[in-house]
Amino acid sequence: MQDNATEVTAAGIARLAGVGRAAVSNWRRRHADFPRPVGGTETSPSFALAEVESWLRKQGKLAEVPLRERVWQQLSGHPEGPVTALTHAGCLLLLIHDRPTVWLEVSAGSDERLSKMLPGALGEVFTPRFGPEPAVSTAPAVNTAPVVNTPDAVNTADDVNPAPSVSSAHDPSGVHTPSAVNTHPALRLPTGPELLPSAPLLRGVAELAAELGARQTFEFLLGRHLDANPRQYTLTPADLAALMADLAGPARTLLDPACGTGALLRAAATRPDQELHAQDSAPELAALTTLRLALQTWSTVHGAVGDSLRADAHPRLRADAVLCHPPFNERNWGHDELAYDPRWEYGFPARTESELAWVQHALARLKDGGAGVLLMPPAAASRRSGRRIRADLLRRGALRAVIALPVGAAPPYNIPLHLWVLRRPEKAPAQPEVLLVDVGQFAGEGRGGPDWRAVREAVLDAWQAFGRPGRFTERPGLARALPVIELLDDDVDLAPARHLPPPTAAGGAEQLTAVREHLGETLRLTADLTPPRADAAHPARWPLTTIGELARGGALMLRTGGNGGHARVPVLTDHDVLFGADPSGTLPESEEEAVLTEPGDVVVPVLGGGSVARVIDATTGGAALGRNLVLLRPDPAALDPWFLAGFLRGTANNRQASSYASTATRLDVRRLQLPRLPLDEQRRYGERFRVLDEFERALRHAGRLGEQLVRGMYDGLTDGTVAPD
């Protein structure tokens, strides 16, 4: 049954037909019978999916709407919004996952019969999966308005979506007790009238589940929803979540008090007898995560809505492990109303130390000996306002490790975040130590992200060695076990970089020797590649053409870098082109089509005023084109790519094609000029340009090796590992 209420955007139509958005715009202008908009805005209209499908099929542009696309369009165009639709779909998929035969009985007959029978069938599944306690409620849930800027595994920021006011009670002892009114079950049982508008969607979801599986179907739909709203959600990388779960170790009872989309609990859930406790102040995330975890594992899932600091849903829980990526730099975290809360066992956090409130919340929910791992901003390790709490955490053995991650490990990607590994102490250790690790050296080049394999191996090796009896072997520049007494000064600064000795000069004298030999080989290669003596010649008077004219004549194709795409491939950035690096960037998922490079393409940066052009080779082919780049794809029968790239690098050529009207110089690639030469003559010039490019890359590599050798020698001479003679 087609849902006639489902709407689709121009981007959705392009995806249905397998074309670009420009093609859809052309169809709207050229075909009078193209469906009229039924919603949206003037700049971003929406169309009825049924009408669009009929028109595409009549035009011969579509044989059949793919099932995945049909279901997604029904979900995204649901009259109650995609979050409600996704929640209903998740409930159905859980029923199919746990009791597939029940769905066959419920789905027989009309949509009205389905909507009446489904709540009862779901109730039989919810209780065993979400526990007998009030994890499922038929009472209205809290406000389900969309929440902006909600990170994965991060509680919603109060200044973005203020939490409801919390009424709190204080017993005679002065202990703060959050009122139960402010904590709600994450998932409530939908009623028949609520499910009726979703009936066509649910039938399509069930059909897709028969093809993909229930779990995979929910992951596909949830992934599409997250991709369609990239600014609303900041996802915790799977590699980071897995590392945090490994640091916590095996656990039967786990808690994430700021669960987001559940990345941390998903990474840790490996056993069917586990109990997973999740809470988030964003109602839609709490519900979707509860369903996601139930579909991911056979564990019992206890999900709740509410701010864990102000309205803790699990006040009596003593978990084996707590994993959390708390919100950073929150001023309105409950400082005024939580002054007498018993969780502040290590000191009352200052208003500016919300992260230390989350640390103590995690410790309060751990059983003795239980482990906690929190992602923290680096400032939390050194701010003076938190030094007394840090000191008490160290003295009592509650803080076991501080691990400095590489830049780009998690949002915000420009900051090297820390991991704090906690252990609720059974008794105060006699001579406590803390492990300090810095894996910043494993940051990827450019914006490509860290080398997660190296990060994982270094961190886990150091953590496991720290836990074994005996003295920890120091790893210069990487890991050190430090007696707590050495940190208890006026600052109690826990930043690992401040306490780790630098690595021995570039890895030691042997490594320096290897670098020197490599540099010698590169310099010899550079000498061999040095261009021959330049012979004087009279200035050439070639007939000229422009890139714009060549593009209009079909001798080359011109494309510009986009802002996103569906393809998850490495991205060639303007930085990569300027510095001769491998593709290192990323682009957000969007409805646009990514421009993919091919060997023989010529890529030109348009900002910065430099004379640079890069010929794509086999190793960089297939990368997506980043912002501020223009791609030229020459016809091999008309243009040699090296000839094209070489002449585009001429200084005079760039000057005449650049705009200097603003503070940044911008290159108009269409105005760049080329001489009109026969193909054989182009290839003569092209070969000379290719050898020059090879010489340039060798010089660049020699420069990097030289810098490494010089830095290593300075470090070795100053730390005594290299003799002066």
Side-chain angles (χ1 to χ4, degrees), residues 32 189 195 250 258 292 349 613:
L189 194 65
L195 288 170
R292 192 181 198 187

Side-chain angles (χ1 to χ4, degrees), residues 3 6-7 26 48 258 283 306 318 345 349 369 420 522 648 652 680 725:
D3 182 7
T6 300
E7 298 177 11
N26 288 335
R318 295 298 177 265
E345 186 178 349
W420 285 24
T522 305
L648 295 187
D680 289 343
D725 50 355

Side-chain angles (χ1 to χ4, degrees), residues 12 43 86 123 125 136 159 212 246 276 292 366 443 459 532 557 639 667:
T43 57
L86 190 54
V125 173
V136 180
D159 59 351
L212 301 180
D246 287 340
L276 308 179
R292 192 181 198 187
L366 285 171
V459 170
M557 181 177 70
L639 283 173
L667 181 68

Side-chain angles (χ1 to χ4, degrees), residues 695-706:
F695 174 65
E696 182 181 35
R697 285 187 282 113
L699 280 176
R700 189 181 288 121
H701 184 51
R704 288 194 292 263
L705 288 171

